[in-house]
């Protein structure tokens, strides 16, 4: 499966095939969305020819549209300063440059683009959210997926409007570049029945759910991270893992994977160090409390292993490097992990540097095979 | 340190010394609190001579006092059915029987009593909460700690009224039977400054904080477990660990252990499988984001190791039993774990059965030494 490559000193080495489960495409300006929005949506987003006039050079800010934004500000830039394109566009905004700087350099066969504006997916004005989602999906498809077939994408839908989400999946969910449904965390745990219409069509279309921050604590969406709000970005970012633990517990206990056995959930950027403990506690409780969840025919950990996938960035860095392998083995998670770079973000994992302590076969699974078994790239 | 014991077959074996960090004393009837309540509090709790008269044998239920109760109902009994006392009182309600059934049988030198009515600690009518806390503290002290000096207790205070909490600690915090302050989870993360007056006097008095469910999702207190509410007891109980992870991240990031270096926090019943992952992500984020938390002089994991303690019940049961030791070593948590039975609760860990896969020296730490280094039993 791996390509042979010659290097300058004449020796040969295998270059690892890579599928990258988390890359972010940016628009350089939101005005790029104008061609994909009707007049009403342009007015609501305050873009295009109807954009409000400035008074003395300033827009009255309370009248401007605002994306639901994360309340926690990274004191560093969230964008890699080495990823600006030569044409001056911001990191992640030039498909050609990203193809060179990321795909070519790291031997990436497919990169899955997850919207950096995903907080809009769960915006509570669902008409604006649905309009934005469709516009964004079309913009990304035309400007990225159609320009380089290595770009694949998760499509935005609103978990707050499952009927509209189903329609959007019907509209574009069979296009060859669309390989997942981007579902944001809200204050509705993912196991709740509200969301089943989305799961039903996603399973039918062979699309896994993709879950990625930042709707946590963003704008009016703001699902809680347990207990109460964090004070710093460091505290908030560390606690992102709680959202995945909570949602996985909900998915398993509610029997979603019994009802939709082919549906997969990919959690990106939530970590995996908590996985063994979550599995153990779920299995232990299930032994005593299974009367509550009679629909579960297998141990909870088995549903997690078969239906949940974890994108790896930011990968855990144990005190003893060998413990990364130990944790994977403890959980039996060899088939669950999907490499992701999070390009062009600040804390990205580079394909040629992560997983150096793992055996070769396991690396190949994480870098390539597990993604092939999760996404359908031959649509 | 260990006692020698002869058994019936004539061989000798060492019997492990035990300190049990989580035992629950119950009153058989709330009327037992009457002598410790003034007239006003009796009326508010609807106990004593002022108790409302029944109409046709029924109290009008909307007028009765109700404890903030957990919304998730265990389909099994939460009390061990083998722990009813011969006198017919409910499990955990007879100090003499518990002394025989738990302390004598398991060679327990000290048992720390944590109120089974701790949800009242964070009741939002803080006057009732403060009154109840004092009455409960006095009832437990007289009926348990003064009857058998092996009984020690965490004292209830309200985290919602730090001024009153400080006064209650001043009132009884130096009594020889009081060895910890029982602080309930609320929607205020433990690192927030509201709580520092409690931490200041607790550190001065040498009292660790003891945190134990059930205020999570109980009554009007109801701090969230991340995302949104669970559907089943199994799901809720599994996700209790999120409360500890969230609060530990808050305590560390806010610098509580830099400000109160001698203060210890004991988390009981929240598990420990998540500990390595939490430490790794905190340390990794700290490397990049330490500008946000300039007060942290050490790595986050070092504060956790020095100031956080985890009571072990319900102990994790890994797929491969050897992994319990692996997880402890991954986190460097050898000095952090305190054995607890959770007697007389449904999912208790028995001292003669848990930790069978751990080396003897580590077992001695967990069963005994770590508690000696956490609580001051020579007050």
């Amino acid at each position: 499966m791996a390509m042979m490559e010659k290097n300058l000193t004449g020796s040969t080495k295998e270059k690892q095939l890579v599928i990258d489960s988390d890359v972010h495409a940016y628009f350089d300006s939101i005005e790029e969305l104008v061609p994909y929005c009707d007049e009403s949506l342009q007015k609501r987003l305050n873009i295009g020819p109807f954009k409000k006039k400035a008074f003395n050079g300033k827009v009255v800010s309370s009248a401007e549209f605002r994306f639901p934004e994360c309340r926690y500000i990274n004191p560093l830039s969230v964008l890699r300063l080495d990823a600006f394109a030569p044409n001056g566009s911001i990191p992640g905004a030039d498909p050609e440059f990203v193809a060179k700087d990321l795909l070519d350099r790291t031997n990436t066969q497919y990169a899955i683009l997850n919207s950096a504006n995903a907080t809009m997916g769960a915006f509570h004005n669902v008409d604006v959210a649905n309009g934005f989602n469709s516009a964004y999906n079309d913009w990304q498809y035309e400007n990225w997926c159609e320009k380089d077939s290595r770009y694949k994408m998760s499509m935005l839908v609103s978990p707050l409007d499952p009927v509209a989400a189903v329609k959007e999946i019907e509209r574009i969910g069979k296009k060859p570049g669309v390989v997942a449904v981007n579902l944001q965390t809200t204050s509705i745990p993912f196991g709740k029945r509200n969301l089943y219409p989305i799961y039903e069509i996603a399973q039918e279309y062979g699309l896994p759910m993709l879950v990625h921050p930042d709707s946590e604590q963003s704008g009016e969406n703001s699902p809680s991270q347990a207990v109460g709000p964090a004070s710093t970005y460091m505290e908030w970012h560390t606690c992102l893992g709680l959202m995945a633990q909570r949602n996985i517990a909900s998915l398993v206990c509610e029997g979603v994977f019994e009802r939709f056995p082919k549906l997969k959930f990919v959690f990106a950027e939530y970590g995996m160090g908590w996985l063994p403990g979550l599995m153990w506690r779920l299995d232990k409780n299930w032994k005593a409390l299974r009367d509550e969840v009679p629909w579960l025919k297998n141990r909870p950990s088995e549903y997690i292993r078969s239906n949940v996938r974890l994108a790896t960035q930011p990968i855990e860095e144990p005190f003893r490097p060998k413990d990364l392998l130990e944790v994977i083995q403890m959980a039996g998670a060899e088939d669950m992990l999907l490499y992701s770079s999070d390009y062009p973000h600040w804390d990205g994992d580079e394909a040629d540097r992560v997983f150096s302590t793992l055996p070769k076969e396991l690396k190949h699974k994480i870098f390539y095979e597990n993604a092939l078994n999760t996404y359908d790239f031959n649509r």
Side-chain angles (χ1 to χ4, degrees), chain A:
Chain A
M1 299 286 283
M3 287 167 55
M4 296 302 285
E5 186 193 46
K6 279 193 180 181
N7 65 25
L8 286 170
T9 57
S11 68
T12 57
K13 62 167 188 172
E14 283 189 0
K15 184 142 188 179
Q16 175 62 54
L17 290 168
V18 170
I19 296 172
D20 187 338
S21 280
D22 190 28
V23 174
H24 301 293
Y26 281 79
F27 32 70
D28 210 39
S29 157
I30 191 175
E31 295 289 328
E32 293 175 31
L33 282 191
V34 170
Y36 308 95
C37 301
D38 64 18
E39 183 179 322
S40 163
L41 188 60
Q42 288 178 43
K43 283 180 175 167
R44 298 210 206 181
L45 296 178
N46 198 28
I47 57 177
F50 308 101
K51 191 171 168 60
K52 291 184 194 71
K53 294 273 189 310
F55 302 99
N56 298 325
K58 292 180 181 174
V59 178
V60 178
S61 68
S62 64
E64 268 185 298
F65 177 79
R66 292 206 181 91
F67 285 92
E69 286 189 325
C70 182
R71 291 169 187 159
Y72 297 93
I73 308 300
N74 189 323
L76 314 171
S77 165
V78 294
L79 294 177
R80 286 171 60 155
L81 301 181
D82 64 349
F84 279 94
N87 67 9
S89 65
I90 65 168
D94 180 346
E96 270 185 65
F97 179 71
V98 174
K100 281 181 205 157
D101 192 42
L102 180 69
L103 309 187
D104 295 349
R105 184 168 55 81
T106 59
N107 200 26
T108 294
Q109 311 298 299
Y110 300 113
I112 293 147
L113 304 175
N114 302 317
S115 172
N117 296 97
T119 57
M120 273 298 284
F123 189 52
H124 277 263
N125 185 329
V126 286
D127 290 322
V128 174
N130 292 333
F132 175 86
N133 290 341
S134 295
Y136 186 93
N137 288 337
D138 290 343
W139 166 82
Q140 186 165 256
Y141 202 88
E142 279 188 35
N143 291 278
W144 290 76
C145 300
E146 289 189 345
K147 288 194 177 159
D148 189 322
S149 60
R150 291 175 294 180
Y151 293 126
K152 306 294 180 185
M153 64 179 258
S154 60
M155 56 175 289
L156 285 177
V157 298
S158 173
L160 299 176
D161 190 348
V163 172
V166 167
K167 282 188 189 151
E168 181 70 359
I169 295 170
E170 286 171 343
R171 186 177 76 87
I172 60 167
K174 288 187 174 166
K175 286 189 164 190
V178 174
V179 297
V181 174
N182 190 323
L183 192 73
Q184 289 82 60
T185 48
T186 69
S187 50
I188 305 169
F190 286 154
K192 302 283 186 185
R193 297 178 198 189
N194 323 45
L195 297 164
Y196 292 2
I198 303 177
Y199 301 162
E200 189 172 0
I201 188 171
Q203 174 177 266
E204 183 193 333
Y205 280 42
L207 297 166
M209 296 287 133
L210 182 290
V211 190
H212 185 289
D214 284 327
S215 62
E216 294 87 359
Q217 240 93 97
S218 287
E220 47 292 285
N221 185 44
S222 212
S224 157
Q225 275 190 338
V227 185
S231 298
T232 55
Y233 184 94
M234 174 181 166
E235 188 185 332
W236 169 81
H237 190 275
T238 297
C239 292
L240 284 172
L242 307 186
M243 314 305 286
Q245 293 173 65
R246 179 74 195 85
N247 273 319
I248 292 169
S250 171
L251 285 163
V252 170
C253 292
E254 302 268 13
V256 167
F257 299 128
E258 195 56 53
R259 198 181 283 248
F260 306 106
K262 292 181 184 166
L263 184 67
K264 289 192 170 60
F265 260 82
V266 181
F267 288 87
E269 288 193 26
Y270 297 96
M272 52 77 68
W274 40 262
L275 183 63
L278 177 68
M279 286 176 159
W280 298 335
R281 188 147 177 160
L282 272 172
D283 279 11
K284 182 172 179 171
N285 274 345
W286 174 73
K287 285 179 197 165
L289 300 166
R290 64 176 82 177
D291 276 359
E292 280 197 304
V293 288
W295 44 81
L296 295 191
K297 296 184 183 138
N298 304 312
R299 282 179 301 186
S301 60
E302 293 175 51
Y303 292 107
I304 296 176
R305 250 179 239 115
S306 60
N307 293 75
V308 173
R309 298 291 173 264
L310 303 175
T312 56
Q313 185 280 334
I315 190 65
E316 271 79 358
E317 293 174 14
F319 307 127
R320 304 178 305 191
K322 77 173 184 65
D323 284 343
L324 185 61
L325 178 59
E326 290 283 349
V327 169
I328 294 169
Q329 292 175 334
M330 275 181 187
E334 290 83 353
D335 298 327
M336 288 180 61
L337 304 180
L338 311 179
Y339 165 71
S340 56
S341 70
D342 195 27
Y343 184 94
H345 283 167
W346 66 294
D347 56 347
D349 286 333
E350 287 281 294
D352 57 354
R353 300 191 57 176
V354 285
F355 306 127
S356 57
T357 61
L358 299 188
K360 194 175 162 189
E361 297 71 24
L362 181 55
K363 282 176 71 171
H364 188 61
K365 282 190 170 201
I366 296 174
F367 274 117
Y368 191 68
E369 276 184 2
N370 292 345
L372 275 190
N373 293 329
T374 301
Y375 307 101
D376 178 7
F377 296 110
N378 303 311
R379 306 168 71 78

